[in-house]
Amino acid sequence: MQKHAEVLVDHSVNIETGDNVLIQAPLIAEDLIVALHEQIGKRGANPMISMHSTRARQAFINSCNLVDFEVPDHKIACFEEADGIIVVSGELNTYNPVIWTLKRMLPIE
């Protein structure tokens, strides 16, 4: 995980001392989030995490009137003030090769 974080910090975003780095990531990616914080800290930069959740986003969309929705100023400011932005996506891997093989072998009606 450290190597992935190092590549993101050094090559994808090129983080330098004093940079403000916004990380958007789901909780399932916590290991990478922790590694990113470590790598960002080693470079003297400042990480800020913004968790994203498909379920939370959907709950918000279902409960509000999107016609009247405006992006809040503080959210816009986070992006404008960031020197680097790292967006991580991921979901729980529920693939099980044994179950997949059984489903392929057994007739399903």
Side-chain angles (χ1 to χ4, degrees), residues 5-11 13-15 36 39-40 43 86:
E6 192 175 319
V7 168
L8 287 169
V9 168
D10 288 337
H11 302 287
V13 187
N14 194 26
I15 301 303
L36 284 167
Q39 293 300 323
I40 291 168
R43 284 148 188 83
I86 299 172

Side-chain angles (χ1 to χ4, degrees), residues 91-106:
E91 295 183 18
L92 181 63
N93 184 357
T94 59
Y95 173 73
N96 184 323
V98 173
I99 293 173
W100 184 83
T101 302
L102 288 174
K103 284 181 180 178
R104 300 251 332 182
M105 293 172 58
L106 299 173

Side-chain angles (χ1 to χ4, degrees), residues 48-68:
M48 182 181 132
I49 182 73
S50 172
M51 189 197 78
H52 62 83
S53 162
T54 303
R55 287 181 54 216
R57 187 177 309 113
Q58 192 60 49
F60 175 75
I61 289 169
N62 291 341
S63 67
C64 73
N65 183 354
L66 289 178
V67 173
D68 298 329

Side-chain angles (χ1 to χ4, degrees), residues 1-96:
M1 205 55 65
Q2 287 295 328
K3 187 62 178 171
H4 293 296
E6 192 175 319
V7 168
L8 287 169
V9 168
D10 288 337
H11 302 287
S12 298
V13 187
N14 194 26
I15 301 303
E16 298 176 351
T17 301
D19 282 354
N20 294 312
V21 184
L22 176 61
I23 303 168
Q24 286 194 313
L27 188 56
I28 194 75
E30 184 178 20
D31 290 345
L32 180 56
I33 294 167
V34 171
L36 284 167
H37 275 73
E38 184 176 342
Q39 293 300 323
I40 291 168
K42 286 180 179 179
R43 284 148 188 83
N46 309 301
M48 182 181 132
I49 182 73
S50 172
M51 189 197 78
H52 62 83
S53 162
T54 303
R55 287 181 54 216
R57 187 177 309 113
Q58 192 60 49
F60 175 75
I61 289 169
N62 291 341
S63 67
C64 73
N65 183 354
L66 289 178
V67 173
D68 298 329
F69 177 75
E70 292 183 20
V71 177
D73 291 340
H74 70 277
K75 195 162 195 167
I76 294 170
C78 282
F79 285 93
E80 289 178 345
E81 295 298 319
D83 299 299
I85 300 172
I86 299 172
V87 179
V88 178
S89 62
E91 295 183 18
L92 181 63
N93 184 357
T94 59
Y95 173 73
N96 184 323

